[in-house]
Amino acid sequence: MSEHEDRRDTVDEIDLDQWVKVWDERHTFEAHGLTEPEPGRDEPADGREKRSYIVSMYPYPSGDLHMGHAEVYSISDVIARFDRLRGYNTLNPIGWDSFGLPAENAAIKRDLHPRQWTYDNIAVQAASFKRLGVSFDWRTRLHTSDPEYYRWNQWIFLKLFDMGLAYRKASPVNWCPKDHTVLANEQVIQGKCERCGTAVERRNLTQWFFRITDYAQRLLDDMDQLKGQWPEDILAMQRNWIGRSSGAHVDFRIVGRDEPVRVFTTRPDTLYGATFFVVAADAPLARELVTDEHREALETYIAALGGTSEIERMASDRAKTGVFLGSYAINPVNGEQIPVYASDYVLADYGTGALMAVPAHDQRDLDFAKAMNLPVRKVVETGEDDPAATGVATAARGTMVGSGEFDGLPSAEALPAIIAHLEKSGVGEGAITYRLRDWLLSRQRFWGTPIPIIHCEDCGEVGVPEDQLPVRLPESGFSLKPDASQSPLGTATEWLKVDCPKCGKPAQRDTDTMDTFVDSSWYYLRFPNPDYTEGPFDPEGVKRWLPVDHYIGGKEHANLHLLYARFMTKALHDAGLLHFVEPFKRLTNQGQVIMDGKAMSKSLGNLVNLQEQIGQYGPDAVRVTMIFAGPPEDDIDWAAVSPAGAVKWLNRVRRLASAVPASSLGAAVATGDAAVRRGVHRLLDEITSKMEAGRQNVVIARLMELTTLLQQSIDNGPGAADPAVREGVEALVVALSCFAPFTADDSWAKLGHEPSVATSSWPVVDKSLIVDEEVTCVVQVNGKVRARLQVPAAITEDDLKALSLDSDAVQKAVGDAKIVKVIVRAPKLVNIALAR
RNA sequence: GCCCUCGUAGCCCAACGGCAGAGGCAGGCGCCUUAAAAGCGCUUCAGUACGGGUUCGAAUCCCGUCGGGGGCACCA
């Protein structure tokens, strides 16, 4: 009865701050030898030490941590702590993605320097991370807004510039009028600014780009290395985003023009069905091809397009419009002259900005043909109704018709045949294009890395010499709210002035800053030595820790950060700086924390406040709730889970630890109760394998079972002093430390151990304890369970078969029917198949 | 429209192709209590969205349909 009394005692509070202090003072979570072997510590000479590099996407300091942060860092912390306990030298770094727009907007609103808001928030978040008990190695700490960091961002930019991978060009780009900057393609979601939701505008501007398109094929090919290690949907998203399509380039001569115009088509088999030719109205080509008498009509059309928003323009059900340019293109396969139009349904920056229109077999071309009253000619017989009559293009494969020498061929065969024909005649060739565009990286904002380029009238774009890096942001003399499309740095008149490093003449700095996705495309390389001064990252540290073993973060970065980081890794590899081409071996995307089915976010309001939850339930219970709610990838509806339940369980564990007497400390476990040990080790076996599989929610369930089992062993079994009980409770506490570090260390101390449990080791499963002498064998007849037999675990298939057939229940179920087959899976299962 | 994912008790979720239910929440009953809360113990609840197929055997593999979530979308 006394145990019952004990259990009803209210549980004392854990001194959280004290534990944080203990961990800090003892350097509990620091990896060993970040860049070289630690003196006095054994490490295999061949460098094959077991190491684990666990990275969670670093936070943006937008305020205090919120529920979403708690989830990511809970998940990655479990992985890091598990690896540490199982003997891996583990690096779990932290840094801040501290350049970016919100800081600048906050600074404008409050009339202070963006730095202040940023670093204040970082301090708040750092304290919150400690309160959450996340096992970071704080020596890795970096902030991308520190000159010591962005200096190397500039260095990398110049490296890519030298490699020809960074270039400036004038092109139509996405402009967000609210955020007052251009945006990369990846930052425009359905025509709207990813950050503020404002409809983007199209502007012709000269901007810096990274040539990520050069890497399109490698970004696709190297996905083979990621299969099975990255979630399939992320790979699919990137595949779609890169958007490879294969077909042919075909040159069309234009009547009265020397230079032919090249088009891309995925359907060279339909070449004979081209009845007109279309160029993008906003491409220079339109103005080149227009005849004088149609010039005014074209200008009117282009002017009208200016009033169309990107969102309207992208609507695919919009009526087709266009204007005849007065010129004619010549179809290279049949010499036919077809009229040239300009339209906004052709995109200036995809393919060549021009296309051959085959209305019979392409819906968009057919819609345009109908609108302009142009002919429709079927060249592939698909057996469907005539597109000219139905208005529905037939895109399927079929048999070639009206295509000269190719008539009668299946279109699938005609396709390569026509490509061969084009190549032989020198008017085209097989070709691949990608939907992916180059990465637009310049931003017309202040709080970012200055682009380290000097514009000289004579020398053009000149990179800032390495010994002059970093190009620091000006401290004063600039405006955060400049006029028109000028950048804030453009107003820093003193800062702008610089002599050309090449010719010494007065010149001007570039006034744009870099997209913060440049910063994040390589930060994981710098963590092992964030103070390194000889380069962006320490080669020794990179050699020891990279690539990242397990990367954890949200899937909203599928086509942004994750794609950029993959590209940057390949580019730096090509520069000879990295020994690998993929930065993240394994990727886990955690879900979102939602409330009553509604997403929580800054714009929609954080419906649940993390600090309030921690205040009410404690950090451990919040963490356990996050993990136990479901698989890491799933969203958590906070309304559907129970932090109170987690508190209850954690208290049960602590009472258990209190109940185990000091007298059993150091007792030989082998003398413990055999049944208890069997139960404990059976659970530990499953806990270990689920942990390895990343099924953290299931691990919690098993730990709860283990808790119940141990409590029952105390109440109705061998009692609290039995060595088997101590063994079980200690194993429970060690495993718990991955999820609830405060409770675990508190319990570990109660059990009479020195801190910290994080420095102990993962329980070793004694497999000999979990093999059963006897097992229950299920006997099925036609797949239905008809009998259960207690059999020796080592029974032979023949014996088991005979035993099954002898059983009364089976004989009854079989009756007079003929036995066709007996499947024996000794010792657990027998299935008897009867004739039907 | 194309691609990817997920549909298991009232809810969150488990289940190497082998007995559908481990764990939690909620609900019910009980113990404790003068009483209530807390705590503790016990316990009800689905045949796996639907329809086919493969198999001795399917929640699991394949095809189709419906529904939820996500991505892309005038990309030639």
Side-chain angles (χ1 to χ4, degrees), chain A residues 179-491:
Chain A
D179 285 339
H180 208 268
T181 183
V182 298
L183 300 169
N185 241 15
E186 289 79 9
Q187 286 170 301
V188 179
I189 310 295
Q190 291 174 349
K192 294 180 183 164
C193 170
E194 167 227 24
R195 192 168 280 285
C196 68
T198 307
V200 303
E201 296 167 4
R202 223 55 184 160
R203 286 199 180 181
N204 261 299
L205 295 170
T206 300
Q207 300 288 321
W208 285 98
F209 292 83
F210 281 149
R211 227 178 272 283
I212 191 171
T213 51
D214 276 11
Y215 287 73
Q217 192 59 49
R218 283 167 68 187
L219 287 165
L220 283 175
D221 292 344
D222 291 347
M223 282 185 197
D224 287 347
Q225 297 181 29
L226 307 177
K227 268 191 197 120
Q229 302 293 304
W230 281 39
E232 181 51 41
D233 57 340
I234 297 291
L235 295 177
M237 281 160 79
Q238 292 201 354
R239 222 175 274 123
N240 287 344
W241 187 257
I242 295 167
R244 178 192 152 107
S245 41
S246 71
H249 278 143
V250 186
D251 294 327
F252 280 67
R253 287 204 301 111
I254 306 292
V255 177
R257 189 178 192 262
D258 293 336
E259 211 181 322
V261 175
R262 171 161 274 212
V263 301
F264 175 73
T265 176
T266 55
R267 293 293 303 274
D269 53 322
T270 64
L271 187 47
Y272 284 82
T275 53
F276 55 99
F277 193 94
V278 195
V279 300
D282 55 344
L285 194 59
R287 287 193 171 103
E288 285 176 34
L289 297 185
V290 71
T291 58
D292 288 339
E293 54 183 313
H294 291 88
R295 192 170 303 277
E296 199 184 323
L298 174 64
E299 294 303 332
T300 309
Y301 181 68
I302 292 173
L305 292 182
T308 316
S309 79
E310 271 303 288
I311 296 176
E312 285 171 322
R313 181 180 162 154
M314 288 190 337
S316 50
D317 52 357
R318 203 170 123 247
K320 297 274 183 292
T321 58
V323 56
F324 179 49
L325 296 183
S327 51
Y328 290 86
I330 301 165
N331 190 329
V333 284
N334 58 12
E336 195 176 349
Q337 295 195 6
I338 55 178
V340 177
Y341 283 77
S343 172
D344 66 343
Y345 90 90
V346 176
L347 306 174
D349 53 356
Y350 182 75
T352 61
L355 58 80
M356 64 176 212
V358 185
H361 307 298
D362 183 287
Q363 190 60 47
R364 296 153 303 184
D365 294 346
L366 182 54
D367 292 344
F368 189 80
K370 291 262 169 193
M372 297 289 146
N373 206 15
L374 291 159
V376 177
R377 187 194 307 146
K378 184 160 76 178
V379 289
V380 177
E381 181 53 71
T382 64
E384 296 160 284
D385 292 338
D386 183 12
T390 60
V392 179
T394 58
R397 301 292 182 203
T399 306
M400 303 295 290
V401 294
S403 296
E405 57 183 287
F406 301 100
D407 279 359
L409 275 181
S411 59
E413 287 174 31
L415 194 148
I418 289 180
I419 292 176
H421 174 77
L422 292 169
E423 287 174 355
K424 209 171 79 191
S425 328
V427 290
E429 69 233 351
I432 309 288
T433 60
Y434 302 88
R435 209 192 68 101
L436 182 71
R437 307 296 156 80
D438 276 339
W439 173 9
L440 195 172
L441 68 104
S442 29
R443 296 289 179 275
Q444 290 69 47
R445 298 296 302 222
F446 173 79
W447 193 233
T449 304
I451 291 174
I453 290 288
I454 291 165
H455 298 279
C456 170
E457 267 183 33
D458 292 347
C459 308
E461 296 151 358
V462 182
V464 173
E466 197 179 330
D467 60 7
Q468 291 172 30
L469 296 182
V471 177
R472 286 173 184 265
L473 287 167
E475 288 300 314
S476 56
F478 61 88
S479 164
L480 284 179
K481 293 202 75 172
D483 302 330
S485 60
Q486 195 183 20
S487 299
L489 290 179
T491 67

